[in-house]
Amino acid sequence: MINGMGFGDLRDVILASGNMLDPDHVKRCNKAEHAFWAKAGGIDLAPSDQKLQFDCGGQQWVYEVCFPSGTYGMPGTASIDFMEDLLKEIESSGLPAPAPIEQRWSSGSTSPLSPASVGPQVNESYDSKNSLFSWVGVIMYLPSEDFDPTGYRRQFITEFFKDKYCKLVRKVGEKYDIMCHWAKLEVSNDPNDSNAEVAASVRKHFGPSVVAAFNSARDKYDPKRILSSSVIDQVFDPK
């Protein structure tokens, strides 16, 4: 069965062979993955399209957030502080957190609605021109149909990821002014849903002037909301 499998496929099989929400099982899988990457280290030369790739594995849930982390000249400690806080919360809560927790960095953006927005700028400053943002993504893998013919395991993992893992990331990120990647954003009008407070937090993050400007542009160019979606409507035009 495992002959010819790549690393991502092997990880999926190992995780799915046990309880994917059991912290001890996930820890053993993470330890095996760490050993794999330690042994896979080295130097190799090949065309970029053969090397600048990553085997993400099978189906999965990903939640990614962004927050300011200083400038290129003075990056500060926010990037490391956030990760340390997140790891402490994961370990203290016993949450099953599969590897990897991905972290990357990008420049800031002058786009008002970018998660990495530097905010309204009358005149460009050194800090805005050289701003640095960190992006952190957490993940949970889903078993294939071979390991989950009824779909119940996928349902349990989905609910756990949304109700526990994503909520924990938002809790840790409160003091870091995090903003979710737009493609990973989920909102809800149900007050009992774990995403009930997300829309309000997004409006607060961008501020009333940006929200008003966006709604004004929508009223002018898309009055019938043809280009809108339920997520955008709940965030920017709550009823």
Side-chain angles (χ1 to χ4, degrees), residues 72-141:
Y72 284 98
M74 297 186 66
T77 64
S79 297
I80 302 302
D81 293 342
F82 177 87
M83 289 301 299
E84 289 182 342
D85 289 347
L86 179 60
L87 290 173
K88 287 178 183 177
E89 286 291 331
I90 288 173
E91 291 171 357
S92 65
S93 65
L95 189 144
I101 297 177
E102 298 180 347
Q103 186 171 28
R104 61 190 176 95
W105 289 262
S106 74
S107 300
S109 171
T110 56
S111 174
L113 288 175
S114 168
S117 174
V118 296
Q121 299 287 313
V122 178
N123 296 303
E124 189 176 53
S125 65
Y126 172 85
D127 286 350
S128 63
K129 184 178 180 180
N130 295 278
S131 61
L132 188 65
F133 282 74
S134 180
W135 300 72
V136 174
V138 299
I139 191 170
M140 274 193 167
Y141 301 95

Side-chain angles (χ1 to χ4, degrees), residues 49-88:
D49 63 343
Q50 297 178 21
K51 290 300 175 185
L52 299 182
Q53 301 177 15
F54 183 79
D55 185 357
C56 295
Q59 294 184 5
Q60 56 201 244
W61 285 110
V62 178
Y63 186 67
E64 187 176 24
V65 298
C66 174
F67 56 93
S69 53
T71 64
Y72 284 98
M74 297 186 66
T77 64
S79 297
I80 302 302
D81 293 342
F82 177 87
M83 289 301 299
E84 289 182 342
D85 289 347
L86 179 60
L87 290 173
K88 287 178 183 177

Side-chain angles (χ1 to χ4, degrees), residues 61 154-165 194:
W61 285 110
R154 295 166 64 89
Q155 180 182 344
F156 293 148
I157 293 170
T158 296
E159 292 175 354
F160 189 95
F161 183 74
K162 182 182 74 170
D163 296 340
K164 302 294 184 181
Y165 207 170
S194 59

Side-chain angles (χ1 to χ4, degrees), residues 25 27 59 149 169 182:
H25 175 61
K27 286 179 182 178
Q59 294 184 5
V169 173
W182 279 108

